[in-house]
Amino acid sequence: MTSELENLAGLDPDDPRPPSQQIANVLRAAIRTRKFEPGERLPSQNDLAERYNVARETVKTALRILRDERLIVTRQGSGAFVRAQTERPVGLRPHVEAAFERAQVTIEFAGFSGETLHGVLTEPLDKIRAGLLTPESVTVRILLPDTGEPMALPCLAETQADDPGVRERAERITRRHTDAIVEAVRELGELGLVKDAVAEVRVHRAAPLFKLYILNGEEAFFGFYPVVEHTVMIKGQPTAIYDPMGKDAILFHRAVSDDEASDASQYVDQARTWFDSMWSTIAHDYTP
């Protein structure tokens, strides 16, 4: 364990974020890169406090952040351990790529920023450009919260109040990913690689509490956003916010062809009905 401690990055004195957040970031990176394997015990609170020359309470706060993100579990008297299962039980990416093998492709997403959607669409769209996939039509519909309006989430952690700076940060993230998706899909049509290529974004005033993917009207993936406290930079200042964390949301899968779940077809049908009802009623065109 001594060598693992020595290999952990140190604190940056020029980083405005509190030591607890910095320590959490270092440990998160170590877990993600498998420096600590699933099921492995992390260094003790005392060892971490000594390594970073901070109080144990600071380390406890850092570990609490990772626990809230479901990266670790703590066992009284034994310490903190990397979760044995840190990946989603359902891998979304292979299903999205398989969806693009159809002649008519429809991808519908409801969630927070579209960041994960952007990630899973990148490869199949690249394969269309390379001529490896040849769908006749691609339709992408994206349903997101309106960051131009006051929101319950994300919000300031201390007061739980809406904050324009927090919403502006969410808007930048949303715009970066949705603009990239819309431009990539439309380019396929402009290049003549796809006969009909449409990507639309609409927004609504509901809080982002879950994410939903519907693929070709036949598969649905649903996951709750855990609300996590973390520190971000707002107008140059470190600010603690409550944020719906989509990257670690566990997705549950239902498919019309799923014989193991008798309600699967009904679930997918209801997911489509809900999406269409939101899209055609309270949602409106996204104008950043």
Side-chain angles (χ1 to χ4, degrees):
M1 191 65 71
T2 301
S3 61
E4 281 130 339
L5 276 169
E6 292 174 349
N7 290 333
L8 292 176
L11 300 182
D12 182 355
D14 296 323
D15 192 330
R17 291 172 295 186
S20 58
Q21 184 68 55
Q22 290 192 54
I23 294 170
N25 292 346
V26 169
L27 292 174
R28 183 188 302 108
I31 292 170
R32 293 296 194 195
T33 57
R34 297 298 182 101
K35 291 178 181 176
F36 293 110
E37 296 287 342
E40 185 175 349
R41 184 178 181 272
L42 295 181
S44 70
Q45 292 181 17
N46 286 336
D47 287 341
L48 287 168
E50 183 177 350
R51 166 71 177 86
Y52 291 106
N53 193 27
V54 297
R56 276 190 63 188
E57 287 303 315
T58 300
V59 173
K60 284 183 179 179
T61 300
L63 295 178
R64 189 179 305 118
I65 292 171
L66 299 180
R67 187 182 64 212
D68 290 344
E69 294 177 5
R70 303 191 312 281
L71 288 176
I72 67 170
V73 293
T74 54
R75 302 170 188 164
Q76 190 170 3
S78 299
F81 296 79
V82 179
R83 278 188 180 272
Q85 178 67 31
T86 58
E87 300 297 328
R88 297 186 182 96
V90 176
L92 176 65
R93 191 179 301 272
H95 292 265
V96 172
E97 293 179 1
F100 274 83
E101 295 175 359
R102 299 284 190 87
Q104 281 74 41
V105 180
T106 61
I107 307 293
E108 294 162 320
F109 170 79
F112 185 18
S113 68
E115 182 176 359
T116 306
L117 177 66
H118 182 200
V120 298
L121 287 180
T122 298
E123 186 167 348
L125 295 182
D126 283 346
K127 286 184 176 180
I128 294 175
R129 292 189 194 94
L132 301 176
L133 292 172
T134 56
E136 295 176 8
S137 69
V138 173
T139 300
V140 179
R141 296 198 295 173
I142 305 171
L143 191 59
L144 305 172
D146 187 353
T147 52
E149 299 287 342
M151 301 174 68
L153 285 170
C155 65
L156 297 174
E158 183 176 359
T159 62
Q160 299 183 27
D162 172 74
D163 181 79
V166 174
R167 284 190 280 111
E168 287 172 9
R169 173 182 177 272
E171 169 67 18
R172 288 194 300 272
I173 296 171
T174 297
R175 187 168 57 247
R176 180 167 67 247
H177 295 290
T178 56
D179 283 358
I181 294 170
V182 170
E183 290 174 8
V185 172
R186 289 179 178 173
E187 181 187 47
L188 297 177
E190 292 168 357
L191 293 174
L193 297 173
V194 176
K195 184 178 180 181
D196 296 307
V198 177
E200 298 178 277
V201 183
R202 290 190 178 181
V203 294
H204 55 80
R205 297 184 64 181
L209 301 177
F210 61 86
K211 61 168 59 179
L212 171 69
Y213 300 83
I214 305 173
L215 311 183
N216 289 338
E218 297 178 356
E219 294 182 273
F221 295 79
F222 181 92
F224 293 102
Y225 285 134
V227 179
V228 175
E229 180 179 353
H230 66 131
T231 300
V232 298
M233 298 301 293
I234 303 293
K235 296 182 179 178
Q237 297 296 322
T239 304
I241 67 172
Y242 286 139
D243 206 12
M245 298 296 287
K247 291 181 179 178
D248 296 320
I250 295 176
L251 294 177
F252 297 91
H253 178 229
R254 290 290 186 275
V256 172
S257 60
D258 189 355
D259 295 332
E260 296 180 2
S262 58
D263 65 342
S265 180
Q266 185 178 10
Y267 185 98
V268 175
D269 182 63
Q270 287 300 301
R272 293 176 59 192
T273 299
W274 175 86
F275 188 97
D276 286 336
S277 69
M278 289 285 289
W279 187 268
S280 61
T281 57
I282 65 172
H284 58 87
D285 289 342
Y286 176 55
T287 54

